Amino acid sequence: MGRSSPMSLITCFFVLQWLTWSRVLLAHGRSHCSRSIMSIGAVLDLSSQIGKHQKIAMEIAVQDFNRFSCSKLLLKIKNSNGSSAQAVASAMHLAQSKQVLAIIGTITHNEATIASELNDKIKNIPVLSLISPVARSEQVSPLLPYFIQVGYNINLHMQCIAAIVGEYRWRKVTAIYEFDDRFSSDPGMLLNLSYSLRLVGSEIVNHVPFRSLSSLLDPNSTIENEFNSLKSKSNRVFLILQSSIELANLLFEKANQMGLMGKGSVWIIPDGIAGNLDSVNPSAILNMQGVIGFKTHFLETSKEFRRFKFKFRRRFVLEFPEEENINPSSFALQSYKTTWEVAQAARESQGKLTLKQLLKSNISRTEKLRQSSTLKIINVIGKSYRELASWSPALGFSKSLVTEQLTEMNTNSGSSGVLSKVYWPGGIQFVPKGWTQSTKGRKLKIGVPAEGAFTDFVNVEYDIIRNITSITGFSIDVFKAAVHNLAYDLNFDFVPFNGSYDEMVDQVYNKTLDAAVGDTSIMAYRYHLVDFSQPYVESGIDMVVTEQPAKLKETWIFLEAFTKDMWIMMAALHIFVGFVIWLIERQVNAELKGLGSMLWFLVTVIFYAHREQIRSPLARTVLAPWLFVILIATSTFTASLTSMMTVSQLEPSVLDIQTLLKRNSAVGCNGNSFIVKYLTEVHKFKRENIKKINNINDYPAAFRNKDIEAAFFIAPHAKVFLAKYSCRGLIKAGNTFRLGGLGFVFRKGSTLATDISEALLKVIESGETEQLEKDMLTVGGNTTCSPLESKAKARSSTGFQPFLGLFCICSIVAILALLYSMICLLMNNVETFTCYIHVRLTQLRRIWRCTTTVFFWEPLKTPIRKSGKCKPDTVTRNAEDSH
């Protein structure tokens, strides 16, 4: 106290000086004008804290106006106590007996209409409503030409709530609001919020309305009953759309007691609560730990606001001494500005306030103390709150314009970064998932095809004894994997559907089913009825026909026993080994001296029919491993060729659809699928030529009995079918007609379709879908083929990899033998090579001397004999004579 006393004395001194000069100026002005008396009325809910703020603000505005104006303005306030009936009665009383120029207050359009019907005078009195309407407009109403809405744009608030929900990607929310006559007459708030949430991929799944606190007989029991119902449900993202600060305090107190403010929960509060946190008791703040919300942004450092705040706090404490920590809210600023503008318009009209004068004023326009399009995002923590960021429709979230009150904390957030540092309920510093496991509440009815031809995708089995329905399959497994990756708990039941796929889609469109899961193809004509998820399997239409031998390719079928690389490797190594053996044997074996003998030896050794004896031990060392290679290669060739001759190469009996149409052939397909419609409308097949076969096991018999010449499947079905029955002489023909893929079906506009699509992408990217498909083909593939048939179908050419080790051994032995024989050849013929080299060097020396002599004596024109030989003595003597 000692430190603040001098400052307090200085402040009081300046205030007294300002008041003294104001009175002098006011007295001087009043002495030169005649004072007229004007009255304006106010209808406020003084039982609420917002109503008290509005009352004090309006009184300050009247006081300021009277201080600097020749006219005297009187403010006549009526208390509605939050009742619509009392609000109507108060408006009628003010218009009838008080002779007011205008009425300001929390009056809805419906209340003003009722009052005007009961009292015609209200039709000619301007009524300025401080209620925030959904459809805010500055134009007057045709029934009430003097009714003007000056409340804040609540559409902006709903957009801000949706932006917060979208920032953290919560897909489902619970709406909580105080339900009174005013709110029930304005259902557009919920519609606007639903639309804004849909834009960010979210939706309202629970509605929890509360009557006004004054109308509840037992508020505690009412709130507990509603919260018990919420606890049994999975959603934990709670949005308070509209509530008095008194009801909000009680809601958060009960939420803490009942465990709805723990880890994983999210609470978002509107401006009506967040804007009054400065005036809330500390005990109520402790019940709101981790809550986020938004409040109106205004310039708190301006001179106008500081002056208004000083007057407001002083007057509020005098009138409501029981309140603590009182600071003016945005609602107080709104009331102050509206009252001031009405007073100015009344003075300019000389006591006869008209609509024209009001529209000329700055009412319902943005000024220093009016609401801007920017809202502050706040987070309750400790004994107060901190400002996280700012939000506006144009810029979205941005860094807060003021310094944060608390030290930033390290978090693991899922937001884009601006709202990353949030203290959430339960003390956690990472984004809550916003849902919990729950076994109660309505379960989604998800249809599955019970009469599908391919049970590998959806298999519905009924156990009559135990009265249990088992639903399994590839599509079911993929859907469950996607649900596991959702950001919330999804309660659902599979409902077997006995009908076609188009009929099942119609059931989703008619809202009999919530969704449909199965091997449903994504088609354009279905898209205008329902929404589809991201395709989990690529799809198209494949044609399957019988096989026939490819006779042209059987002429050279023996070459396919080995690969091209294997043939080249065998030939090259065979020639190299034969050359090494010939090079060694030609010294000691007269039968292998000529080149022709070597070539014949290379041919006969393949069949072990060579008659030439190998005499050199070194040559035998080279030949032994190569004979073993020939034995293994010959056996492999024989086995591979035998397999190929047993099951020859095959090709489709029908190459394309045009051939079927020309032959007027019968074709088969699943009668419950869209393929029937596709064949008749796109490819112009006759309906009598389309055989509907609804069991996968009936197709081989239909081909065998010549009932059909081709069968059409969607690509995933064709893959499974050929895995089972390719050994029965069936093969895919032609190209695949591409389609949209297989997906899950949802109602039009359902956010679940978006959520499942995102979850499916995670499942696909993780490789889980591919693994599930492999498991399906492994379990169901080739179940009708014998092991011999399956092995025969899986033939392929043999490469050199199995022989690589033997090839390396033979090559190394041959190379070493070649090097050894070359060394021995050199050692045994050293003298011969020496003489040969000496002779050659002598010849080269003579040629060199002769060449140099010719070039040296050419310039001297020395005659040289024309003989072919050049004598060294003669050349030397001539050279000496020249010297």
Side-chain angles (χ1 to χ4, degrees):
M1 292 296 293
R3 293 182 179 179
S4 60
S5 296
M7 184 60 67
S8 301
L9 292 175
I10 295 173
T11 302
C12 292
F13 173 75
F14 280 108
V15 169
L16 292 174
Q17 287 290 103
W18 178 77
L19 291 174
T20 302
W21 282 105
S22 298
R23 290 176 180 176
V24 171
L25 294 175
L26 182 60
H28 182 267
R30 288 176 180 174
S31 61
H32 292 82
C33 65
S34 60
R35 239 171 127 74
S36 60
I37 299 177
M38 301 180 297
S39 299
I40 60 174
V43 179
L44 304 172
D45 179 14
L46 299 181
S47 62
S48 66
Q49 192 172 49
I50 293 178
K52 296 176 182 178
H53 281 218
Q54 292 170 335
K55 176 180 180 296
I56 298 299
M58 294 174 72
E59 291 174 347
I60 295 175
V62 170
Q63 183 180 6
D64 290 346
F65 178 80
N66 289 336
R67 180 175 295 113
F68 300 104
S69 175
C70 294
S71 304
K72 181 179 181 180
L73 182 64
L74 300 179
L75 179 63
K76 300 177 180 180
I77 300 176
K78 287 291 183 179
N79 185 9
S80 65
N81 286 316
S83 171
S84 181
Q86 292 190 26
V88 172
S90 299
M92 293 174 58
H93 183 265
L94 289 173
Q96 183 67 31
S97 59
K98 299 296 183 179
Q99 299 297 321
V100 294
L101 297 178
I103 299 176
I104 306 173
T106 52
I107 305 175
T108 65
H109 185 274
N110 288 347
E111 292 168 350
T113 302
I114 295 173
S116 65
E117 292 177 354
L118 298 177
N119 190 338
D120 292 338
K121 290 185 177 181
I122 295 182
K123 295 181 180 180
N124 300 320
I125 298 177
V127 178
L128 291 89
S129 175
L130 300 176
I131 297 291
S132 298
V134 174
R136 182 172 178 263
S137 176
E138 295 182 5
Q139 296 180 354
V140 296
S141 170
L143 298 178
L144 292 174
Y146 283 81
F147 184 85
I148 302 176
Q149 294 174 332
V150 294
Y152 292 151
N153 188 358
I154 203 169
N155 288 346
L156 192 69
H157 295 178
M158 298 300 103
Q159 293 173 19
C160 182
I161 292 176
I164 296 174
V165 172
E167 179 75 6
Y168 296 107
R169 300 181 181 179
W170 295 310
R171 298 307 186 194
K172 299 180 183 295
V173 300
T174 297
I176 301 175
Y177 48 87
E178 186 173 357
F179 187 84
D180 55 19
D181 295 333
R182 296 185 175 90
F183 188 72
S184 63
S185 64
D186 197 6
M189 179 186 294
L190 288 176
L191 295 176
N192 183 272
L193 177 62
S194 298
Y195 175 76
S196 299
L197 288 174
R198 181 173 296 181
L199 294 179
V200 298
S202 184
E203 63 178 340
I204 302 174
V205 293
N206 302 313
H207 295 264
V208 184
F210 288 101
R211 301 291 300 181
S212 60
L213 197 59
S214 59
S215 62
L216 294 177
L217 298 177
D218 190 354
N220 292 325
S221 299
T222 302
I223 295 174
E224 289 177 1
N225 292 336
E226 294 292 346
F227 281 180
N228 280 326
S229 177
L230 290 179
K231 286 187 66 177
S232 64
K233 300 175 182 179
S234 61
N235 187 254
R236 289 295 182 269
V237 180
F238 305 109
L239 312 180
I240 299 182
L241 306 183
Q242 178 171 290
S243 172
S244 63
I245 192 66
E246 293 78 14
L247 178 59
N249 292 338
L250 190 56
L251 289 176
F252 283 110
E253 180 182 350
K254 291 299 179 183
N256 272 280
Q257 295 175 1
M258 301 180 66
L260 291 177
M261 289 289 292
K263 296 179 180 179
S265 297
V266 178
W267 288 82
I268 301 177
I269 57 177
D271 187 23
I273 301 174
N276 287 278
L277 289 180
D278 292 325
S279 304
V280 174
N281 293 328
S283 59
I285 291 290
L286 295 177
N287 289 328
M288 299 183 185
Q289 295 300 296
V291 171
I292 58 175
F294 57 90
K295 57 182 295 188
T296 302
H297 170 71
F298 50 84
L299 197 59
E300 299 182 10
T301 58
S302 64
K303 294 181 180 180
E304 293 84 353
F305 178 76
R306 290 202 302 266
R307 187 182 303 115
F308 173 75
K309 182 178 179 179
F310 174 78
K311 297 177 182 179
F312 181 89
R313 289 175 61 89
R314 183 180 61 180
R315 192 178 189 93
F316 199 96
V317 170
L318 293 176
E319 191 163 346
F320 305 102
E322 69 280 1
E323 301 287 348
E324 299 178 359
N325 301 325
I326 297 301
N327 286 305
S329 63
S330 59
F331 301 97
L333 297 176
Q334 176 196 44
S335 302
Y336 176 90
K337 188 61 181 176
T338 302
T339 305
W340 179 267
E341 294 296 344
V342 170
Q344 291 285 5
R347 184 186 63 180
E348 293 176 2
S349 63
Q350 297 180 356
K352 295 181 181 180
L353 192 58
T354 62
L355 179 62
K356 184 177 180 180
Q357 290 292 335
L358 285 176
L359 295 178
K360 284 183 178 180
S361 65
N362 292 322
I363 290 177
S364 71
R365 298 182 184 177
T366 303
E367 287 193 0
K368 295 180 179 179
L369 298 181
R370 284 288 298 169
Q371 181 195 29
S372 67
S373 60
T374 302
L375 299 174
K376 293 180 181 178
I377 309 301
I378 61 104
N379 179 211
V380 179
I381 178 173
K383 296 181 180 180
S384 183
Y385 62 89
R386 59 173 180 160
E387 296 178 2
L388 300 175
S390 298
W391 178 87
S392 64
L395 301 177
F397 293 104
S398 58
K399 288 295 183 182
S400 181
L401 301 177
V402 298
T403 305
E404 292 187 358
Q405 300 173 359
L406 299 177
T407 305
E408 294 183 353
M409 299 178 292
N410 295 326
T411 60
N412 181 16
S413 173
S415 69
S416 61
V418 179
L419 296 180
S420 60
K421 299 173 177 63
V422 179
Y423 180 89
W424 298 100
I428 63 175
Q429 298 178 16
F430 55 88
V431 178
K433 58 184 180 180
W435 61 273
T436 185
Q437 295 287 344
S438 175
T439 58
K440 298 182 180 181
R442 192 184 81 87
K443 292 186 177 181
L444 298 179
K445 294 173 60 179
I446 298 180
V448 293
E451 299 179 354
F454 288 81
T455 56
D456 300 87
F457 289 84
V458 178
N459 185 26
V460 180
E461 295 181 348
Y462 301 95
D463 190 339
I464 301 176
I465 299 176
R466 295 186 297 173
N467 194 23
I468 296 176
T469 301
S470 174
I471 300 176
T472 57
F474 170 68
S475 299
I476 302 300
D477 293 338
V478 172
F479 179 75
K480 289 181 178 180
V483 170
H484 181 71
N485 283 275
L486 287 177
Y488 52 86
D489 185 31
L490 185 67
N491 291 327
F492 63 90
D493 284 328
F494 286 127
V495 179
F497 181 78
N498 297 302
S500 67
Y501 286 83
D502 284 339
E503 291 173 347
M504 186 173 65
V505 170
D506 289 337
Q507 292 292 309
V508 177
Y509 171 71
N510 296 329
K511 299 184 178 180
T512 304
L513 296 173
D514 295 298
V517 170
D519 46 346
T520 309
S521 296
I522 301 175
M523 302 296 295
Y525 73 91
R526 293 172 176 170
Y527 239 110
H528 73 282
L529 299 175
V530 295
D531 283 344
F532 284 92
S533 68
Q534 165 77 21
Y536 62 91
V537 172
E538 293 184 357
S539 183
I541 295 182
D542 286 338
M543 182 174 69
V544 176
V545 299
T546 56
E547 297 173 334
Q548 66 179 9
K551 296 181 179 180
L552 294 178
K553 295 184 179 179
E554 291 184 356
T555 304
W556 301 97
I557 191 173
F558 71 92
L559 292 177
E560 295 185 7
F562 288 150
T563 62
K564 182 180 179 180
D565 294 339
M566 178 65 177
W567 284 116
I568 295 174
M569 182 70 72
M570 284 283 295
L573 195 55
H574 187 67
I575 294 173
F576 176 68
V577 170
F579 171 76
V580 173
I581 294 173
W582 172 77
L583 190 64
I584 297 173
E585 283 291 310
R586 68 187 298 268
Q587 302 295 331
V588 296
N589 193 342
E591 296 179 353
L592 291 176
K593 283 187 176 293
L595 182 61
S597 300
M598 183 195 73
L599 296 177
W600 178 248
F601 174 78
L602 292 177
V603 175
T604 57
V605 76
I606 298 176
F607 308 101
Y608 300 97
H610 56 285
R611 297 181 179 180
E612 298 82 2
Q613 293 184 355
I614 305 301
R615 298 177 181 179
S616 173
L618 183 61
R620 292 175 182 175
T621 304
V622 176
L623 182 60
W626 183 242
L627 290 177
F628 184 73
V629 172
I630 292 176
L631 175 64
I632 299 299
T634 304
S635 300
T636 304
F637 177 82
T638 303
S640 179
L641 185 60
T642 301
S643 174
M644 291 182 178
M645 296 301 293
T646 304
V647 182
S648 61
Q649 292 186 350
L650 302 169
E651 65 181 13
S653 59
V654 179
L655 297 178
D656 52 31
I657 292 180
Q658 298 303 322
T659 304
L660 294 173
L661 293 173
K662 290 179 181 178
R663 295 179 183 178
N664 199 28
S665 302
V667 297
C669 66
N670 182 6
N672 291 325
S673 71
F674 71 95
I675 299 180
V676 176
K677 182 177 180 180
Y678 179 82
L679 292 177
T680 56
E681 295 183 0
V682 177
H683 293 289
K684 308 303 180 183
F685 275 87
K686 297 179 181 179
R687 284 194 173 272
E688 57 269 19
N689 289 340
I690 300 176
K691 309 298 181 182
K692 297 181 180 180
I693 304 175
N694 296 332
N695 193 322
I696 184 176
N697 299 321
D698 295 338
Y699 284 93
F703 277 109
R704 187 170 56 253
N705 299 331
K706 306 297 183 180
D707 294 334
I708 59 174
E709 194 169 348
F712 290 90
F713 306 96
I714 61 173
H717 289 176
K719 185 183 296 185
V720 175
F721 179 77
L722 292 176
K724 290 184 177 183
Y725 295 107
S726 59
C727 60
R728 299 293 183 89
L730 300 175
I731 191 173
K732 176 181 174 294
N735 298 322
T736 300
F737 299 95
R738 292 296 177 188
L739 298 177
L742 301 186
F744 304 132
V745 184
F746 299 93
R747 292 179 183 176
K748 202 70 175 176
S750 173
T751 58
L752 186 58
T754 305
D755 297 344
I756 289 292
S757 295
E758 183 179 353
L760 274 176
L761 289 175
K762 296 179 182 178
V763 175
I764 294 172
E765 292 171 359
S766 66
E768 189 173 355
T769 302
E770 183 179 359
Q771 185 59 44
L772 289 172
E773 185 177 7
K774 289 181 180 178
D775 294 342
M776 174 183 63
L777 296 176
T778 302
V779 174
N782 294 330
T783 56
T784 64
C785 299
S786 65
L788 183 60
E789 290 174 321
S790 300
K791 187 179 296 185
K793 292 294 293 183
R795 63 177 178 82
S796 61
S797 301
T798 304
F800 67 86
Q801 287 81 5
F803 303 90
L804 190 59
L806 292 174
F807 287 164
C808 290
I809 293 174
C810 291
S811 300
I812 292 172
V813 172
I815 292 172
L816 292 177
L818 179 63
L819 292 176
Y820 179 77
S821 63
M822 294 297 294
I823 293 173
C824 291
L825 182 64
L826 291 175
M827 295 295 294
N828 294 332
N829 298 276
V830 172
E831 294 181 359
T832 302
F833 278 110
T834 303
C835 294
Y836 178 79
I837 293 172
H838 178 72
V839 172
R840 293 299 180 188
L841 289 176
T842 302
Q843 293 177 352
L844 291 174
R845 184 174 60 183
R846 287 177 179 178
I847 293 172
W848 170 256
R849 291 176 60 185
C850 182
T851 303
T852 54
T853 301
V854 170
F855 281 98
F856 181 77
W857 289 107
E858 181 68 20
L860 300 178
K861 305 296 182 180
T862 304
I864 302 176
R865 296 179 182 180
K866 296 182 180 180
S867 60
K869 296 183 180 179
C870 180
K871 297 182 178 180
D873 296 340
T874 306
V875 175
T876 304
R877 186 167 52 251
N878 291 335
E880 292 176 353
D881 294 341
S882 64
H883 287 291

